[in-house]
Amino acid sequence: MRPLAYFGGLVLLAGLALGLPGCPGKSSPAAPAPVTVVELVTPSFTWTGTPTITGTPSRTPTATSTFTITSTPTNSFTPTASFTPSSTWTPVTILVTPTFTPTPSFTPSATPTPTSPNTATQTATGTVTDTPTSTGTGTPTLTPTNTATLTATNTPTPSPTNTWSPTVTDTPPPFITQFGGYNTTNGEFHSPIGIAIDSSNYIYVVDSGNTRVQKFDSSGNYVLQFGTGGSGAGEFSFPYGVAVNSSLDAVYVSDLNNDNVQEFTTLGGYVTGGGSLGSGNGQFNQPAGLAVDGSGNLYVADINNSRVEIFNSSNAYVTQIGSSAPSTGAGNGQFTYPYGVAVDSSGNLFVMDTDNNRVQKFNSSHGYAAQWGSEGDGAGQFQQPTGIAVDSSGNVYVADTYNNRIEEFDNSGDFITLWGSYGSGGDEYFWDPMGIAVNSSGIIFVADTDFDYIQSYGP
């Protein structure tokens, strides 16, 4: 998403459209054919989270075993006449089928990945005996013996196949209500963008086109407003982001065109402000999304400087994440026009890297931790996302602006669900949603920027 510009009351995203015979004296019997053992194994696996999984995985391991039978017959008799006795016999062949339960080892093509080791060894023994037949004259004493001891050692090597097409679904939160509409009167909006919620669940909305901030109770009833057009203290040219530090009774508002961040009380009284156009420490080039962590540090998404600046609770500059202008990029820890920021209860920072269509996560020491997302309209993909928020469980919500929807992920970036499509009329319809926040009860508030409404969804 190219830098925002404001012309004539419109939010413009510049440059983009929104067998074995044998006989005595002969050779030993040949080995029987190999034994094939087929075992159907039902695997076990563990999911984390609370998805619903449909589909039946099947795995069919196969194993072959071979063994050798050795037969050594003896035939002794004393005939009472002169003859040449002959003895024929057919050894009884025992085909040993080892019994074993192989535990297959495989890497299925599914998520999550169930695994199990594979070891199975079976030894079987048997004895072959026969009763000989002799012919001749006289009364021979014929005592042939044929004893064969066989040993089969089976070390299977199963080759399981894994057919598994799980379907993971999670129901989007239900629509609760909406408030606002296009106008300049109290409780109505012209291009609402930023949204924040304090510890008492009061809602602060940056009404950008009307150059003001409006405050509402948790039910969406109008309470007050502050700000007017201009460049002086307490005035705005194009206000964008808002964040609240309830412990300091402080409300922070960023102004894209005035390149500053101003602090107000929760009753709308002006406190202080700082920033100017530039790329130095504490300067901005279109500051946008804001967030406050548990220590009172303020995070500012500095769009055209492709960085996030961090200030302490006394508004003093601390450090920055990302590259200073004009160095943008798509590497780990780099940004291209970042618009949104959010911080979870553990101090992890999530940055909406808008033009790279991804979320980047940083740990509480501001070190790069992870990223997810790519350009597209599939689950987990984005088209110029802008707003981002985190709930008390660490789940991450993204306002996927040009896909006109909201996507939810867990704290590691695994996709959970999505809702919304282009349109107006509330419920699950959006028109360029840009702001998002979650209150302490888990209710999600979305600033539907071009529809000029705030919409809420239940936990």
Side-chain angles (χ1 to χ4, degrees):
M1 179 175 286
R2 295 298 183 267
L4 283 171
Y6 181 65
F7 298 99
L10 298 177
V11 177
L12 302 180
L13 306 180
L16 290 174
L18 264 138
L20 299 175
C23 62
K26 300 297 183 180
S27 61
S28 299
V35 178
T36 300
V37 179
V38 179
E39 181 72 12
L40 182 62
V41 179
T42 302
S44 62
F45 52 89
T46 302
W47 282 90
T48 59
T50 56
T52 301
I53 301 175
T54 61
T56 303
S58 62
R59 304 172 186 133
T60 308
T62 60
T64 60
S65 63
T66 59
F67 52 82
T68 302
I69 298 175
T70 303
S71 175
T72 308
T74 59
N75 181 32
S76 63
F77 57 89
T78 304
T80 59
S82 175
F83 67 98
T84 303
S86 64
S87 175
T88 63
W89 53 277
T90 301
V92 178
T93 301
I94 295 177
L95 187 61
V96 178
T97 301
T99 301
F100 65 97
T101 303
T103 304
S105 147
F106 58 91
T107 303
S109 57
T111 303
T113 304
T115 58
S116 57
N118 169 40
T119 54
T121 301
Q122 177 71 29
T123 300
T125 60
T127 301
V128 178
T129 61
D130 76 339
T131 302
T133 301
S134 85
T135 61
T137 61
T139 307
T141 300
L142 181 62
T143 312
T145 61
N146 177 39
T147 302
T149 300
L150 58 89
T151 300
T153 300
N154 180 39
T155 303
T157 305
S159 300
T161 58
N162 180 54
T163 304
W164 189 20
S165 299
T167 301
V168 182
T169 59
D170 197 355
T171 305
F175 173 77
I176 299 176
T177 190
Q178 63 180 222
F179 57 92
Y182 177 75
N183 214 317
T184 60
T185 58
N186 296 344
E188 295 183 300
F189 308 108
H190 180 188
S191 300
I193 299 181
I195 185 169
I197 301 173
D198 67 18
S199 60
S200 298
N201 285 335
Y202 282 100
I203 306 163
Y204 301 79
V205 179
V206 177
D207 187 7
S208 297
N210 288 324
T211 59
R212 65 184 179 181
V213 175
Q214 297 194 68
K215 179 178 180 179
F216 302 84
D217 66 18
S218 60
S219 298
N221 298 306
Y222 172 83
V223 176
L224 58 82
Q225 64 177 283
F226 54 92
T228 186
S231 58
E235 297 178 332
F236 306 116
S237 175
F238 188 2
Y240 185 103
V242 61
V244 182
N245 184 337
S246 295
S247 62
L248 296 180
D249 190 42
V251 180
Y252 303 94
V253 183
S254 63
D255 192 330
L256 284 179
N257 287 352
N258 284 330
D259 295 298
N260 64 20
V261 175
Q262 298 186 72
E263 180 184 343
F264 300 83
T265 69
T266 56
L267 296 179
Y270 175 81
V271 178
T272 188
S276 60
L277 176 62
S279 59
N281 296 345
Q283 292 185 305
F284 307 109
N285 192 341
Q286 294 201 319
L290 303 177
V292 175
D293 66 18
S295 299
N297 296 309
L298 176 66
Y299 298 78
V300 181
D302 189 7
I303 297 177
N304 287 343
N305 284 325
S306 292
R307 66 185 180 182
V308 174
E309 292 195 79
I310 305 172
F311 302 83
N312 63 24
S313 58
S314 300
N315 301 325
Y317 173 85
V318 176
T319 189
Q320 68 178 28
I321 301 173
S323 301
S324 183
S327 178
T328 62
N332 297 344
Q334 290 183 309
F335 310 115
T336 303
Y337 305 127
Y339 271 71
V341 286
V343 185
D344 66 15
S345 59
S346 298
N348 296 305
L349 170 68
F350 301 85
V351 180
M352 199 70 263
D353 189 4
T354 299
D355 244 32
N356 286 323
N357 291 292
R358 65 182 179 179
V359 175
Q360 292 199 65
K361 178 181 179 180
F362 300 83
N363 60 31
S364 58
S365 299
H366 310 142
Y368 171 84
Q371 64 174 281
W372 66 88
S374 61
E375 184 176 7
D377 58 7
Q381 294 184 306
F382 308 114
Q383 285 283 3
Q384 301 294 296
T386 52
I388 189 167
V390 185
D391 66 17
S392 59
S393 298
N395 295 317
V396 180
Y397 301 83
V398 173
D400 188 6
T401 304
Y402 284 175
N403 279 327
N404 295 293
R405 66 188 183 182
I406 304 301
E407 294 195 69
E408 179 184 355
F409 304 84
D410 67 16
N411 201 261
S412 299
D414 293 326
F415 174 82
I416 296 177
T417 191
L418 60 80
W419 69 95
S421 59
Y422 173 76
S424 61
D427 201 352
E428 292 188 7
Y429 292 103
F430 300 111
W431 188 3
D432 293 341
M434 297 183 71
I436 190 165
V438 187
N439 72 10
S440 60
S441 299
I443 298 176
I444 305 155
F445 294 84
V446 180
D448 194 1
T449 303
D450 283 345
F451 186 40
D452 299 300
Y453 274 90
I454 302 300
Q455 303 196 73
S456 61
Y457 300 84

